Amino acid sequence: MTHNNMGHTTNKAAKTRFDQAAIDQLGWWRAHKFLLLRRACQLVVLLAFAIGPWFGFWLLKGNLSSSELLGAVPLADPLATLQVLMSGHWPELSLLLGAAVIAIFYWLAGGRVFCSWVCPVNLVTDAASWLRRKLHLPRTSEMPRHLRYYLLAVVLILPLLTGIAVWEWVNPVPILYRAILFGAGSGLWILAAIFLLDLFICERAWCGHLCPTGAMFALLGKTSPIKISAVNASSCDNCMACFEVCPERQVLKPALKGKNPMITDSDCTLCGRCIDVCAPRVFQYQNRIALKAENNQ
C-alpha cells in the first residue's frame, strides 16, 4: 500500500512539473518563451485599444470586431462582417476592406494564431487549464470537435432569420474588451461560465470545441504557409509534455508518428507551447511554402 501511494505521489509530482526537463536543459526563459511572448502580444493588443479611452490617443479605435488603425486603416472581424451581410445589410466599404485585411493577415499568419496570440478569452481558458492541472482533475470526455462548425453555421444563419447579428450580443471577445476598457460588466457571467465549463465539465471545451470565431479562423488557416513541424521527431522520448500543454493535442500524433512531420491540421493554434516544453527540441515553426521551394531546388 505504501509503495502504491509513493508511486501515485511520484506520478502526480511528475505531472505537475512536466516542463522541468525543458527548464533544466534549456533554461527557464527558453522553456517559457512562446508562452511569455503570447501574453505580451495579448497585452500589447489590449493596450493599443486602451490608450484611446484612457489617454485620448487613438492608436486603435473600436474593438476586435471592428476598428481603425491610426484613424486610417480599417480592420474588421471577418465573422462579424459576414453576419452583417447575412442580415441583409450591405456594410460600408471600409468594413469590407477591414475584413479582407484581417482575413489575409490571419491566412498568412496561420489562422488560429488569433486564438492563442490575440484573443483575450484565451487568458480565461488557459487559466482554467492551469488550475485543472494544479488540482489534478481527471481528463473528461471530449465533445465532438466539429461542433464548433455547426455553431458557426448557426451564427451565420441567425442574422438571415432575424435581420441582426445575434452572436455579437453574446460574443465573449467584445464582452471582455468592454469590461476591461469601459467597466461594462453586464456580460461577465458568460466568461465565468466558460471558465467553469473548461474547469469542471470538459477540458478546453470553449476554444477546442465550441467557439465559432475559432472555427472561422481555422477555415482561414487551412492553407496557411506558417505551421509547426516535428522536425526532430526521431528525438522524441515520449515524455508527453507536449500533449500535456497542447490545447489541440489531437494534432500532435500525426506529426510525431506519421510520414509528414508538419502539423497541417488547421485546429493547431500555433501557440508554441509544444516548442517550449520539449527538452529534445522536436518542434519548430516552419514556412511550408519556402520549405517546398527549397526542396524543389
Side-chain angles (χ1 to χ4, degrees), residues 160-236:
L160 186 65
L161 300 176
T162 64
I164 56 176
V166 178
W167 168 242
E168 295 310 307
W169 290 2
V170 293
N171 186 345
V173 176
I175 284 175
L176 185 52
Y177 263 69
R178 288 195 295 267
I180 294 174
L181 300 182
F182 306 108
S186 59
L188 289 180
W189 65 269
I190 295 176
L191 294 164
I194 289 174
F195 179 83
L196 294 174
L197 175 68
D198 275 23
L199 181 61
F200 294 115
I201 306 301
C202 179
E203 187 178 18
R204 300 285 184 181
W206 179 252
C207 294
H209 304 84
L210 298 174
C211 179
T213 301
M216 171 62 72
F217 282 112
L219 292 174
L220 283 176
K222 276 188 175 293
T223 58
S224 294
I226 305 300
K227 299 291 182 183
I228 289 178
S229 183
V231 294
N232 296 313
S234 59
S235 300
C236 177

Side-chain angles (χ1 to χ4, degrees), residues 61-164:
K61 189 173 184 179
N63 55 45
L64 288 177
S65 295
S66 178
S67 60
E68 279 187 339
L69 175 63
L70 295 174
V73 180
L75 303 171
D77 176 8
L79 179 54
T81 305
L82 280 176
Q83 290 177 79
V84 173
L85 287 169
M86 294 297 287
S87 69
H89 303 289
W90 188 256
E92 295 182 4
L93 180 60
S94 61
L95 189 66
L96 293 174
L97 290 174
V101 169
I102 292 297
I104 292 171
F105 173 81
Y106 281 109
W107 172 77
L108 290 171
R112 287 199 68 201
V113 69
F114 168 84
C115 302
S116 57
W117 288 80
V118 177
C119 181
V121 181
N122 174 255
L123 296 167
V124 177
T125 58
D126 271 5
S129 179
W130 174 84
L131 186 56
R132 172 181 281 275
R133 289 197 300 269
K134 285 293 183 182
L135 297 176
H136 308 293
L137 297 178
R139 290 262 172 87
T140 52
S141 58
E142 295 189 346
M143 303 175 185
R145 292 191 176 273
H146 55 261
L147 184 58
R148 59 182 160 208
Y149 295 102
Y150 292 132
L151 291 176
L152 174 61
V154 170
V155 164
L156 292 175
I157 290 172
L158 282 175
L160 186 65
L161 300 176
T162 64
I164 56 176

Side-chain angles (χ1 to χ4, degrees), residues 24-82:
D24 292 342
Q25 185 166 326
L26 305 169
W28 191 90
W29 159 249
R30 291 183 66 194
H32 295 84
K33 179 172 69 174
F34 288 110
L35 174 62
L36 297 175
L37 289 175
R38 283 197 298 120
R39 294 294 177 254
C41 183
Q42 290 162 333
L43 180 61
V44 166
V45 172
L46 176 61
L47 290 176
F49 283 105
I51 60 175
W54 290 356
F55 303 108
F57 174 69
W58 297 94
L59 178 61
L60 276 171
K61 189 173 184 179
N63 55 45
L64 288 177
S65 295
S66 178
S67 60
E68 279 187 339
L69 175 63
L70 295 174
V73 180
L75 303 171
D77 176 8
L79 179 54
T81 305
L82 280 176

